[in-house]
Amino acid sequence: MSENLGVSELSEEQARAELARLAAELGRANTAYHTQDAPEISDAAYDNLKRRNAEIEALFPGLKRADSPSDLVGASVADGFGKITHAVPMLSLGNAFDDTDVQDFSDRIRKYLGLGKEALVFSAEPKIDGLSLSLRYEQGQLIHAATRGDGATGENVTDNARTIGDIPQVLTGAPDVLEVRGEVYMSHADFEALNERQQAEGGKVFANPRNAAAGSLRQLDPSITKSRPLRFFAYAWGDLSAPLAETQMDAIRRLAQLGFVTNPLTQECDGPESLIAHYRSIEEQRATLGYDIDGVVYKVNRQDWQGRLGFRATTPRWAIAHKFPAELAWTRLEAIDIQVGRTGALSPVARLAPVTVGGVVVSNATLHNEDYIRGLDSRGEKIRDGKDIRIGDWVQVYRAGDVIPKVADVDLTKRPDGSAPYIFPATCPECGSAAVREEGDAIRRCTGGIICPAQAVEKLKHFVARKTFDIEGLGAKQIEMFHDDADLPIRQPADIFTLRDRDASNLNRLKNRHGWGAQSADNLFAAIEEKRTIALAKLIFALGIRHVGEVGARDLALHYLDWTALTQAIDAARPAALAHRTADQAEEAERIKAKAEARRARVSDCRAAAIAGLDVPETASQCWSDLIGIDGIGATLGMSLSDALANPVERAAIDALIAHLNIVPPDAPAQDSPVAGKTVVFTGTLEKLTRAEAKARAEALGAKVSGSVSGKTDILVAGPGAGSKAKKAADLGVKTIDEDTWLALIEGL
DNA sequence: GTGCCTCGAGTTCC
DNA sequence: CTCGAGGCAC
């Protein structure tokens, strides 16, 4: 047997066999652990198997199995934490900042549910300022604990969670599978005692209880977590298939019966006035609670109504967080710097004399844009009573959403003599090109395009970012270094993929440089090689074309399925795109000129000529309509994409890049479903699905989802409140069905 | 035209 | 996380 060999001594064949053996053994151990009282093997033995598996996988990455135990949840791996995908995503909440927002929240729900005089009851509880944790229990046993992470996937902190006294290891009388959610936090007293201890021992002193709780929970060594006084309030559960109770309040009581600690200030409220009264009461008690809270959470009490209300993209419709006013601090504005983003946006950043805001030292803050500094909002109306912001001013800072520092106000009585209004630059501070602000736009942009080094670097950073090419070892810092490198410059994406060959024929080789070695250089080249194969959607997003974000890129990929098809279609649509813009501009001019009677005729002539003169070929119009007919893609995105591909410099860079890549088309949609190849339009309110879900399901089944009804539409799915589209469909003789019929049609697929 | 809702692009600190 | 703005429904 090979299992006594060191990992490095294994042959490929032995490694493959052993990975199979480990997968089987760990799989069996996992099943035993999760379904029976006694685990089959000890924790230490389990960890050893797991570690050996990870070591072999690291050495033979090509042999990693589809059912690799390293992807299994519920076990500790030596380095870092494993990932856990939440069965039900951990979403964030919408925010209310004043009484009006609370009233709106209630009104919105009443309208959505169609409630008349009927009572609408809420639960209200303090929003604990800690970190949320999801606990999974199977057959009453705590199986795993995961942090929120990005909402879909979190970190596996099971071993640490087991050390928290408020978290039961075993439940009696619980459903077979139960996910409990709550907040891990540290009390003020415990926090202070911990910091004193840390200081005495020369350890890290935490800025605030939240950071202390987060730092303690994310310890790699559970014995350290155990020594930290963490607590836990349970407030929700993650599995709606088996509701704990018919109302939120009953569910909380049930959690308390099961042995969880629930917050004593949780209360039932029968309307907005009652919610606000409870909010004020909690606000008054805030200082004496002994732990940090940052607001009050309101939830619709009835479970069935929560179900009907459902979710928007990232937040439930049935809950909201009523936030306390943010903590404020005053400090001196020392300078205003201008940063240039990847789209050329000039963003002013305030450099501040360091000041503590909400437990964190802040020395930078956003100033948004030109108008914000001048004291105007996006509609040109006064904010801060019209006070402008000047260098040297005494300014008020807060952290929006307790995260992003912003300059909120100015103290005019402390304004230094001889100060002058800040003059926003009209040229790019990085490349000197003109910086212009389009009519109706809040942002001033550098016109240098690819010539501007700041834009080039930011675009490259976007290209290698986590959601795009995600090249390990080539992050923002490395991009900055390589961009200005004398011997191995990376000036455009294609340069990344020629790096290895250029390095091989270079005198100043990467492996001989300070801070690099043969191993790290090889790792980088290997990471780059790995990403030569890339999904079409990621490639499109990575190009960093304005208005083409993650979702737009995915929609384009799903529609065209292939890079060549996409470029050919966009190229062909170019005349129509130009005509669209010309017509747009002419219309705009016409609107302005309508007031200046004298010149109207000339403009109309100009518009007619523009359209007639361009003589748009039929195929161009078709390609253009096809493009902007994609649901979610409009003329602005279309124009932006067309411009990017038609710009000779940009196009050359893109073509050079494409030559190095192996582009993977999106998963071919099912061919055998009843809706494959059909064009579907959703309209009205969907009750069982969100629009995004409906769209994703339909696309997975091979349907094309369009935004508007036309002769090409095969099926219109009309929910309640469908209007003009249903009428148009009837006129065109398009088949129209309701949501239930649609669900029945695609059922089981 | 108006009013949602989502998406894109910007931001800080650990 | 927030703002602005694009896209879409009414």
Side-chain angles (χ1 to χ4, degrees):
Chain A
M1 286 294 278
S2 61
E3 58 202 85
N4 297 321
L5 294 175
V7 169
S8 57
E9 301 168 70
L10 291 174
S11 72
E12 188 169 325
E13 202 177 324
Q14 285 169 323
R16 191 192 309 274
E18 199 172 344
L19 283 177
R21 177 182 65 83
L22 287 164
E25 256 184 64
L26 282 161
R28 201 166 345 112
N30 250 349
T31 318
Y33 186 83
H34 288 172
T35 54
Q36 299 158 15
D37 280 347
E40 205 173 59
I41 59 175
S42 74
D43 283 358
Y46 182 92
D47 281 353
N48 280 336
L49 291 178
K50 191 115 181 175
R51 195 170 304 119
R52 182 157 177 98
N53 185 71
E55 283 168 9
I56 298 175
E57 281 180 353
L59 212 60
F60 301 95
L63 296 182
K64 182 170 171 183
R65 300 164 58 89
D67 65 346
S68 166
S70 54
D71 296 334
L72 284 178
V73 295
S76 55
V77 187
D79 59 343
F81 297 100
K83 294 265 185 276
I84 287 182
T85 302
H86 300 297
V88 178
M90 292 182 83
L91 298 160
S92 49
L93 296 176
N95 291 321
F97 294 103
D98 56 35
D99 296 357
T100 317
D101 292 343
V102 178
Q103 184 70 50
D104 289 349
F105 169 64
S106 172
D107 291 347
R108 212 161 46 229
I109 289 169
R110 284 193 163 277
K111 193 173 157 202
Y112 198 97
L113 294 175
L115 301 182
K117 290 248 153 72
E118 217 168 335
L120 172 59
V121 177
F122 298 92
S123 70
E125 70 199 285
K127 186 172 193 298
I128 314 300
D129 191 12
L131 31 351
S132 28
L133 191 67
S134 184
L135 308 169
R136 188 177 176 89
Y137 291 85
E138 291 178 12
Q139 268 74 40
Q141 302 283 329
L142 177 62
I143 297 300
H144 69 227
T147 60
R148 181 173 178 280
D150 63 4
T153 309
E155 279 180 326
N156 180 355
V157 292
T158 312
D159 294 337
N160 294 338
R162 287 187 200 282
T163 70
I164 300 174
D166 289 347
I167 296 179
Q169 304 264 347
V170 181
L171 305 177
T172 40
D176 282 355
V177 178
L178 177 66
E179 270 198 37
V180 174
R181 283 166 186 187
E183 201 83 356
V184 174
Y185 69 101
M186 197 178 283
S187 75
H188 291 156
D190 288 340
F191 164 70
E192 272 151 33
L194 172 66
N195 261 358
E196 267 174 39
R197 203 172 85 202
Q198 292 287 102
Q199 197 148 31
E201 293 168 3
K204 183 182 159 53
V205 173
F206 294 100
N208 53 53
R210 211 202 89 88
N211 284 2
S216 301
L217 190 68
R218 297 188 71 260
Q219 289 293 325
L220 288 173
D221 178 356
S223 67
I224 297 180
T225 307
K226 191 167 187 171
S227 73
R228 303 281 173 80
L230 294 174
R231 296 166 188 243
F232 181 81
F233 276 129
Y235 56 70
W237 63 101
D239 197 352
L240 289 171
S241 64
L244 270 185
E246 285 181 7
T247 67
Q248 184 73 31
M249 290 300 297
D250 284 343
I252 300 273
R253 281 179 208 115
R254 182 97 173 83
L255 287 174
Q257 279 168 8
L258 286 169
F260 291 96
V261 184
T262 59
N263 193 285
L265 295 175
T266 309
Q267 189 176 300
E268 213 164 274
C269 295
D270 63 5
E273 296 80 13
S274 165
L275 288 172
I276 290 163
H278 191 45
Y279 172 88
R280 301 258 182 273
S281 153
I282 290 177
E283 197 175 23
E284 277 169 25
Q285 299 173 64
R286 187 178 182 187
T288 56
L289 288 176
Y291 48 85
D292 281 345
I293 60 174
D294 55 3
V296 182
V297 176
Y298 308 143
K299 293 175 183 168
V300 169
N301 201 32
R302 275 178 61 163
Q303 291 301 298
D304 53 340
W305 286 357
Q306 286 189 7
R308 272 172 64 193
L309 285 158
F311 299 87
R312 298 201 309 226
T314 56
T315 57
R317 285 198 187 83
W318 43 266
I320 200 167
H322 190 176
K323 294 298 214 44
F324 292 132
E327 193 184 320
L328 303 166
W330 289 90
T331 187
R332 181 87 57 197
L333 173 60
E334 295 183 329
I336 296 177
D337 284 356
I338 302 289
Q339 294 184 350
V340 182
R342 81 176 150 91
T343 63
L346 265 47
S347 311
V349 177
R351 306 295 176 200
L352 307 165
V355 63
T356 303
V357 192
V360 171
V361 177
V362 164
S363 43
N364 302 306
T366 176
L367 287 165
H368 284 130
N369 56 46
E370 199 170 348
D371 283 349
Y372 190 81
I373 297 175
R374 287 172 54 199
L376 301 172
D377 72 4
S378 57
R379 284 168 307 223
E381 282 170 41
K382 285 182 181 177
I383 47 174
R384 301 187 299 269
D385 301 326
K387 287 182 278 185
D388 67 331
I389 298 171
R390 303 183 182 184
I391 296 165
D393 268 343
W394 197 247
V395 293
Q396 188 187 50
V397 184
Y398 74 103
R399 296 202 303 148
D402 282 334
V403 183
I404 311 287
K406 292 170 72 165
V407 171
D409 205 359
V410 179
D411 187 346
L412 289 185
T413 66
K414 293 194 179 171
R415 175 165 283 176
D417 291 336
S419 77
Y422 177 72
I423 299 168
F424 205 90
T427 54
C428 172
E430 301 285 338
C431 72
S433 303
V436 301
R437 211 176 139 181
E438 302 268 312
E439 170 91 24
D441 212 345
I443 289 163
R444 190 174 283 273
R445 290 195 150 82
C446 161
T447 54
I450 210 83
I451 303 161
C452 176
Q455 282 192 54
V457 170
E458 294 305 314
K459 259 193 135 162
L460 280 166
K461 283 185 193 169
H462 171 74
F463 187 85
V464 299
R466 200 165 56 83
K467 288 186 163 185
T468 51
F469 270 72
D470 191 21
I471 296 171
E472 212 172 312
L474 196 61
K477 256 191 155 164
Q478 302 298 338
I479 284 291
E480 276 180 17
M481 190 208 65
F482 277 116
H483 187 260
D484 299 322
D485 194 282
D487 299 299
L488 291 168
I490 294 178
R491 299 267 160 73
Q492 57 176 41
D495 295 343
I496 294 170
F497 295 97
T498 59
L499 191 67
R500 186 181 57 180
D501 290 348
R502 286 187 289 143
D503 180 67
S505 58
N506 202 289
L507 289 176
N508 179 14
R509 294 197 61 176
L510 203 53
K511 64 177 181 181
N512 301 324
R513 295 188 186 191
H514 182 69
W516 289 82
Q519 186 67 55
S520 51
D522 281 348
N523 286 348
L524 176 61
F525 297 143
I528 292 172
E529 286 313 300
E530 202 182 312
K531 296 298 160 75
R532 270 187 207 276
T533 300
I534 188 90
L536 179 59
K538 279 195 179 182
L539 166 65
I540 298 170
F541 181 38
L543 297 177
I545 296 164
R546 179 135 94 105
H547 297 128
V548 182
E550 198 181 0
V551 175
R554 195 204 59 201
D555 289 347
L556 288 166
L558 281 169
H559 185 81
Y560 292 105
L561 300 172
D562 172 75
W563 174 257
T564 311
L566 181 137
T567 46
Q568 280 175 356
I570 307 294
D571 290 344
R574 185 64 181 162
L578 287 173
H580 177 90
R581 170 152 53 207
T582 313
D584 240 27
Q585 284 173 348
E587 254 171 56
E588 176 68 23
E590 198 167 19
R591 214 175 309 133
I592 295 163
K593 301 293 158 42
K595 291 172 188 164
E597 195 69 30
R599 288 195 283 175
R600 184 197 268 170
R602 254 163 59 200
V603 173
S604 298
D605 289 346
C606 164
R607 182 184 172 210
I611 295 168
L614 275 166
D615 188 23
V616 178
E618 185 135 352
T619 46
S621 320
Q622 276 172 12
C623 289
W624 176 251
S625 319
D626 188 43
L627 171 64
I628 62 173
I630 302 171
D631 197 16
I633 292 183
T636 307
L637 193 157
M639 284 300 315
S640 179
L641 182 59
S642 179
D643 285 351
L645 293 182
N647 177 318
V649 181
E650 273 195 73
R651 183 59 175 269
I654 293 172
D655 286 341
L657 166 69
I658 300 300
H660 295 288
L661 300 178
N662 170 25
I663 305 167
V664 181
D667 279 341
Q671 296 299 310
D672 50 355
S673 84
V675 296
K678 298 272 167 71
T679 299
V680 182
V681 176
F682 293 98
T683 187
T685 313
L686 301 179
E687 292 177 313
K688 307 247 166 67
L689 301 165
T690 65
R691 279 189 91 75
E693 277 170 356
K695 192 176 166 197
R697 291 274 313 265
E699 279 167 352
L701 293 170
K704 283 196 174 176
V705 177
S706 171
S708 56
V709 176
S710 73
K712 284 195 295 182
T713 310
D714 295 301
I715 304 171
L716 178 75
V717 181
S724 58
K725 285 187 188 180
K727 212 177 291 166
K728 189 168 179 189
D731 291 346
L732 290 168
V734 171
K735 182 178 169 190
T736 302
I737 59 176
D738 63 17
E739 192 183 356
D740 287 328
T741 314
W742 164 257
L743 287 171
L745 183 65
I746 63 170
E747 193 181 5
L749 295 169

